[in-house]
Amino acid sequence: QVQLVESGGGLVQAGGSLSLSCAASGRSFDTYAMGWFRQPPEKEREFVASISWSGVNTYYADSVKGRFTISRDNAKNTMYLHMNTLKPEDTAVYYCAASQSRYSTPTSVRQYNAWGQGTQVTVSS
């Protein structure tokens, strides 16, 4: 099981940008597809973006497409989420996750088997 730790969350005003990092430890990080999920207040955890083990393939939720960019650096065992043009509705706890699914860019919570502790992102209006 890979261990994941998110960082980079904080308070930002609407229209601003923020970058999150997910540091992985343990064996075979580069064999996992990776993803970002978020859980807004009073809501269920929802898919944000995913990236294949090679970093070639990516997939985004409609709500963030064009604003967020997911990337990974396997040499550094780190995944990133660059968030631009942030909106108040982006406020949530953001989680990184690792998947051993046969799909290259999984989108379901059930397809992930390792999770970070979460980092709070708050966007003020």
Side-chain angles (χ1 to χ4, degrees):
Q1 180 83 131
V2 64
Q3 290 77 51
L4 307 172
V5 180
E6 305 95 334
S7 63
L11 177 65
V12 63
Q13 64 184 42
S17 300
L18 197 64
S19 294
L20 306 181
S21 297
C22 175
S25 61
R27 304 181 67 179
S28 62
F29 167 76
D30 59 353
T31 69
Y32 289 82
M34 301 289 293
W36 287 97
F37 289 77
R38 66 187 183 187
Q39 188 164 8
E42 310 298 327
K43 295 184 178 181
E44 296 294 310
R45 192 167 301 187
E46 65 183 25
F47 171 75
V48 175
S50 56
I51 186 167
S52 63
W53 67 268
S54 67
V56 171
N57 301 310
T58 59
Y59 191 81
Y60 298 89
D62 289 341
S63 59
V64 306
K65 188 174 180 63
R67 299 188 298 120
F68 291 10
T69 301
I70 187 172
S71 63
R72 67 189 294 169
D73 186 340
N74 290 346
K76 296 182 178 180
N77 292 331
T78 304
M79 178 179 65
Y80 307 93
L81 184 68
H82 302 288
M83 305 182 290
N84 298 317
T85 319
L86 284 161
K87 306 174 181 179
E89 50 262 45
D90 293 320
T91 294
V93 176
Y94 283 70
Y95 298 88
C96 66
S99 174
Q100 294 180 292
S101 171
R102 65 186 177 91
Y103 299 106
S104 62
T105 54
T107 62
S108 173
V109 169
R110 294 183 179 273
Q111 295 175 291
Y112 290 80
N113 44 41
W115 296 84
Q117 83 289 347
T119 185
Q120 177 70 48
V121 173
T122 302
V123 184
S124 62
S125 59

